[in-house]
Amino acid sequence: MARVCVEIKDHIAHVTLTRGDKMNALDDAMVKGILGAAQEVAASAARVVVLSGEGQSFCAGLDLMSFMAMGKVDAESWLMERSHHDANEMQEVSMAWRRLEIPVIAALQGATYGGGLQLALGADIRIAAPDTKLAVMEMKWGIIPDMGGMVLLPKLLRSDVLRQLTYTATPIGAEQAEGWGLVTSLAEDPLAAAQALAAEIAGKGPNAIKAAKRMIEFAESGASQSEVLLRESAEQVKLIGKPEQMEVIAAQMQKRPAVFK
């Protein structure tokens, strides 16, 4: 049974987890479906992604059967292999979305726990319903976040907040998550809000958006001031005076939507 649906319309890739009857919990088929969806989007002409889960929850993390199976696997061979760039298969669930050239917006509701939270962390922006509950849940099961969480969480949270959430595995509400920086904004209908934001971004220059995402990632990587300033200039050289920018300027002057070829 398919675990993930991908629909691309008007340059927006709508990626939906479709295991709603199981709170979109992660099993092996779901993991492979998520990775396949990321590859499909990367090969497409989409300019932005909306990532969501059907039903009452975005993703409740690993399903119970997956936890039970952990004691039967060779953890070293399973986790230490770098099968996807610098990540293993489980880490790629989140890192595949951060690695995409285009922005990713996650629409969250209900349970967003453990691996589900780490999947959402791979997005550039997270919009949550007021009833969303988020948790760094791994400590509940005697493990640590290991699906890209320790790359992505420190970029969003103060160290003391990160430690509290990790040590306790206690779920927090969406309002608290927004205050701590884990969630970008709240919306009564997060999917509609994500789709509206995606449409706005899709109307911007595609090359400029990709350059902006590359630039932000580079600036956040710990590069020096001189390296960031040089990279800014190099990225801008690729944009200024090119047909895409000329179309953006013309559209602004003529008060019409830009048309990109």
Side-chain angles (χ1 to χ4, degrees):
M1 180 181 294
R3 293 282 197 260
V4 182
C5 172
V6 178
E7 180 183 9
I8 300 174
K9 183 178 180 182
D10 297 327
H11 301 290
I12 300 172
H14 301 269
V15 178
T16 309
L17 310 184
T18 58
R19 202 186 182 198
D21 59 325
K22 301 292 186 182
M23 300 174 72
N24 294 310
L26 299 168
D27 61 1
D28 186 63
M30 177 71 89
V31 167
K32 287 179 169 51
I34 290 170
L35 300 188
Q39 293 171 351
E40 182 177 346
V41 171
S44 76
R47 298 175 186 168
V48 60
V49 181
V50 173
L51 180 60
S52 64
E54 70 174 15
Q56 296 183 342
S57 292
F58 172 71
C59 177
L62 288 183
D63 67 4
L64 187 58
M65 294 302 293
S66 296
F67 278 114
M68 293 176 65
M70 281 185 180
K72 302 177 182 178
V73 302
D74 180 346
E76 183 169 356
S77 62
W78 177 38
L79 298 177
M80 294 306 294
E81 181 185 359
R82 305 294 93 183
S83 55
H84 296 74
H85 302 274
D86 56 353
N88 64 35
E89 182 179 63
M90 300 303 291
Q91 292 165 332
E92 188 70 359
V93 168
S94 62
M95 299 309 295
W97 304 101
R98 184 50 61 96
R99 197 178 288 113
L100 279 182
E101 290 187 304
I102 59 178
V104 181
I105 306 166
L108 312 180
Q109 80 281 356
T112 304
Y113 294 161
L117 174 59
Q118 291 174 89
L119 168 60
L121 292 173
D124 298 71
I125 296 164
R126 284 159 295 284
I127 303 175
D131 69 345
T132 306
K133 296 291 185 182
L134 304 95
V136 182
M137 187 64 79
E138 283 74 15
M139 194 61 65
K140 178 179 178 179
W141 305 104
I143 55 177
I144 63 168
D146 69 335
M147 294 174 62
M150 286 304 166
V151 172
L152 302 169
L153 283 166
K155 295 180 179 181
L156 299 173
L157 299 174
R158 298 191 327 246
S159 179
D160 58 332
V161 171
L162 171 57
R163 291 164 191 268
Q164 177 178 318
L165 292 176
T166 303
Y167 298 160
T168 67
T170 302
I172 60 171
E175 186 174 353
Q176 180 67 79
E178 182 188 25
W180 277 342
L182 199 54
V183 163
T184 310
S185 61
L186 306 184
E188 289 295 333
D189 187 338
L191 181 55
Q195 290 169 337
L197 180 57
E200 180 180 354
I201 294 171
K204 301 292 193 291
N207 291 324
I209 289 289
K210 290 178 181 179
K213 181 164 181 173
R214 286 194 302 269
M215 192 65 239
I216 293 168
E217 290 290 325
F218 185 74
E220 291 179 343
S221 70
S224 69
Q225 175 176 296
S226 60
E227 289 172 326
V228 172
L229 291 172
L230 185 62
R231 181 70 172 265
E232 274 187 1
S233 301
E235 291 287 0
Q236 200 76 301
V237 165
K238 300 173 188 176
L239 299 171
I240 287 180
K242 301 302 188 293
E244 178 182 291
Q245 196 218 2
M246 295 298 96
E247 169 59 15
V248 169
I249 293 172
Q252 288 291 327
M253 298 294 289
Q254 297 167 19
K255 301 186 185 304
R256 61 169 175 80
V259 178
F260 303 109
K261 297 180 180 179

